[in-house]
Amino acid sequence: MKPTLFESEKRSHRRFLVIYLVSTLLLLGVGSAIFYTYSLHRIIDHQNQTLKLKTALIRPKLRKLHNPTEKRLLYPEIDGIRTALYNIDRHYLIGEFKPKKVMWNREFWRVGDTLYYRYEMQPYYLGAATIVASMPLDKTPIHSFQLKLALILFLSVLFVAFIARWLGRLFLAPVHHTISLLDRFIQDTTHELNTPVSTVLTNIELFKSLHPELENNDELSRIEIASRRLSRLYDDLAYLRLNHRRRRRIEPVDLRELLEERLAYFGPMAQRRAIELHSEITAKPLREMDREDAAKLIDNLLSNAIKYTHPGGRIRVYLDTDSFTVEDNGVGMDREASKRATERFYRANSSEGGFGLGLNIVREIVEYYGLKMQIESEKEKGTKVRIVWGEL
């Protein structure tokens, strides 16, 4: 089974293919142009020699006419060519045609599709010192050669493309193997995280119910927040692993109700870091989508904003009929990082935890439902992510 390439591998593969194909085809094109020019000259030279040999046949005929044995003299003709005679002063005497221009400094020349040959006679016969002959260029061997060259070029391009694709896969094999090991490790980690995280969260809830006086206990709150973060990490990993195999339940989702629910969930995390979490909900949009997908989209944007906002910072959340926006005044990203922010495993700030999955999951959800995502970010000034719902 052919391995599936990850997005970063596909990008590297495409770049390699472009560079390899462009450079190889450029060399192939230059070589083909040189070979075509050389071969065309050979074909024309061969026809020039044919013209020369035929022209030589007229000389004995002129010698015979110079000492005639018959009263009626006929101009000598050679099959396949036309000739014209010029005297020593290069004036036209007689012939089957009269060239518009004679290249007196050249033996062979070509005008359009006609070949010309100039032959200087010694001695002169009938006052003719020069024979100018012409014949039409035979394009049949040229066309035949062009077809063969085109076929060779086509097969060469196919071969080069095959080699490029094979070499690209060959060079990416070690990288793909490493990423596959990492992906398998994440899957195994996901499986192992499920039971302990669920156990911790369940026991925290049980502990709170048995000891209400510890509801606001700092130590217990830290344990709960850390456990919820682990739980969210597990959810993200499980989502990526099962995303293409689970059945989505598409139904109208009240985005306002869902957003308020998720804001309440993330409230303690923001409070713990003294981050102001402000929301402006101006509509109650309904969207046809899977509720888990909608929750995952909101959760990852809120989680990223909290993670990358400095303690004491501010996060603003907007929801209206057309869009959902999360804006923070955190660490931000430069332009290059903003372009790569949605890649799987990419982290613009390695000092923060996580696997770099949040925005990648958001992008997958956005693409699945045909939404649009806009990311605006500036280093040390914050990030703004806007999801455009489109028609509701």
Side-chain angles (χ1 to χ4, degrees):
M1 181 178 178
K2 186 166 65 174
T4 302
L5 296 179
F6 295 96
E7 187 60 34
S8 58
E9 293 179 285
K10 290 180 181 178
R11 186 173 58 255
S12 298
H13 195 226
R14 285 193 294 268
R15 288 175 179 174
F16 170 80
L17 287 179
V18 169
I19 294 173
Y20 182 86
L21 288 175
V22 169
S23 59
T24 304
L25 293 179
L26 182 62
L27 291 174
L28 186 63
V30 171
S32 299
I34 295 174
F35 178 66
Y36 176 78
T37 303
Y38 170 75
S39 299
L40 183 62
H41 281 312
R42 284 190 61 188
I43 293 173
I44 294 177
D45 286 345
H46 178 73
Q47 295 191 30
N48 281 333
Q49 293 303 315
T50 301
L51 175 60
K52 183 177 181 179
L53 291 174
K54 287 187 176 183
T55 304
L57 299 176
I58 199 175
R59 185 176 176 182
K61 294 187 177 184
L62 289 176
R63 184 170 64 245
K64 185 177 181 181
L65 290 176
H66 190 72
N67 300 302
T69 57
E70 298 179 5
K71 294 182 179 180
R72 186 181 179 186
L73 302 179
L74 297 176
Y75 185 83
E77 296 180 355
I78 305 297
D79 186 40
I81 68 171
R82 295 185 301 169
T83 58
L85 302 180
Y86 288 80
N87 63 19
I88 193 171
D89 296 323
R90 297 180 177 177
H91 293 152
Y92 177 79
L93 295 176
I94 192 172
E96 297 173 278
F97 78 114
K98 184 177 182 180
K100 292 182 179 180
K101 183 179 180 182
V102 177
M103 307 289 288
W104 295 104
N105 60 336
R106 299 176 66 176
E107 183 180 13
F108 296 99
W109 70 94
R110 175 184 171 189
V111 179
D113 293 333
T114 304
L115 300 178
Y116 291 89
Y117 168 61
R118 182 177 59 84
Y119 174 62
E120 300 288 346
M121 289 196 302
Q122 287 288 344
Y124 308 143
Y125 296 115
L126 300 177
T130 303
I131 302 175
V132 176
S134 74
M135 75 174 186
L137 177 66
D138 185 4
K139 292 187 177 181
T140 302
I142 297 178
H143 291 160
S144 176
F145 170 72
Q146 288 174 339
L147 288 175
K148 291 178 181 178
L149 183 61
L151 179 61
I152 292 173
L153 284 176
F154 176 73
L155 295 177
S156 299
V157 169
L158 290 182
F159 178 74
V160 168
F162 171 78
I163 292 297
R165 185 174 178 82
W166 179 76
L167 285 177
R169 292 274 182 172
L170 182 65
F171 292 154
L172 286 175
V175 177
H176 182 78
H177 178 67
T178 301
I179 296 179
S180 297
L181 289 177
L182 176 61
D183 195 54
R184 194 176 310 141
F185 168 76
I186 292 174
Q187 291 183 19
D188 295 341
T189 303
T190 303
H191 178 72
E192 296 297 330
L193 274 176
N194 185 23
T195 301
V197 169
S198 300
T199 302
V200 171
L201 288 174
T202 301
N203 280 277
I204 288 175
E205 295 298 326
L206 179 61
F207 197 74
K208 283 183 177 181
S209 64
L210 294 176
H211 301 279
E213 69 277 8
L214 298 177
E215 180 70 31
N216 296 319
N217 182 268
D218 287 344
E219 288 76 10
L220 191 61
S221 295
R222 282 195 290 269
I223 295 173
E224 182 178 10
I225 290 173
S227 299
R228 285 188 176 184
R229 187 172 180 180
L230 281 174
S231 179
R232 283 207 63 260
L233 179 58
Y234 165 77
D235 290 340
D236 284 347
L237 295 173
Y239 182 89
L240 287 176
R241 185 162 58 92
L242 302 174
N243 182 34
H244 301 293
R245 287 181 288 176
R246 69 183 184 87
R247 292 186 61 183
R248 287 179 167 88
R249 183 181 177 185
I250 307 299
E251 59 184 359
V253 177
D254 187 333
L255 298 176
R256 176 174 183 170
E257 177 189 344
L258 181 61
L259 177 58
E260 290 174 345
E261 174 189 315
R262 304 321 296 166
L263 286 171
Y265 178 85
F266 283 98
M269 300 182 190
Q271 290 176 6
R272 191 70 189 174
R273 302 188 64 184
I275 295 174
E276 177 190 348
L277 189 57
H278 176 75
S279 63
E280 292 184 19
I281 303 176
T282 59
K284 188 179 180 179
L286 296 176
R287 181 77 198 182
E288 293 283 340
M289 62 190 305
D290 182 79
R291 185 178 179 84
E292 183 181 343
D293 286 343
K296 187 64 62 180
L297 185 148
I298 294 172
D299 284 2
N300 278 291
L301 292 181
L302 291 176
S303 174
N304 263 20
I306 293 173
K307 183 190 301 182
Y308 293 109
T309 299
H310 299 298
R314 181 188 70 251
I315 297 175
R316 297 189 182 278
V317 180
Y318 305 93
L319 177 66
D320 55 35
T321 306
D322 300 321
S323 63
F324 168 60
T325 306
V326 177
E327 182 178 6
D328 64 65
N329 62 348
V331 297
M333 299 177 287
D334 56 28
R335 181 174 297 181
E336 180 63 26
S338 298
K339 293 179 180 179
R340 299 187 58 191
T342 58
E343 292 180 15
R344 186 175 298 187
F345 304 130
Y346 178 78
R347 290 189 295 161
N349 189 334
S350 58
S351 64
E352 298 293 336
F355 286 104
L357 300 174
L359 287 180
N360 177 261
I361 292 176
V362 171
R363 189 193 70 180
E364 289 193 5
I365 296 173
V366 164
E367 290 178 350
Y368 182 83
Y369 291 100
L371 311 178
K372 294 182 180 179
M373 178 168 63
Q374 302 167 349
I375 300 178
E376 299 175 11
S377 187
E378 191 173 347
K379 198 74 172 175
E380 297 303 330
K381 289 190 177 181
T383 301
K384 177 181 179 181
V385 182
R386 183 168 182 255
I387 305 299
V388 181
W389 301 117
E391 296 183 3
L392 300 171

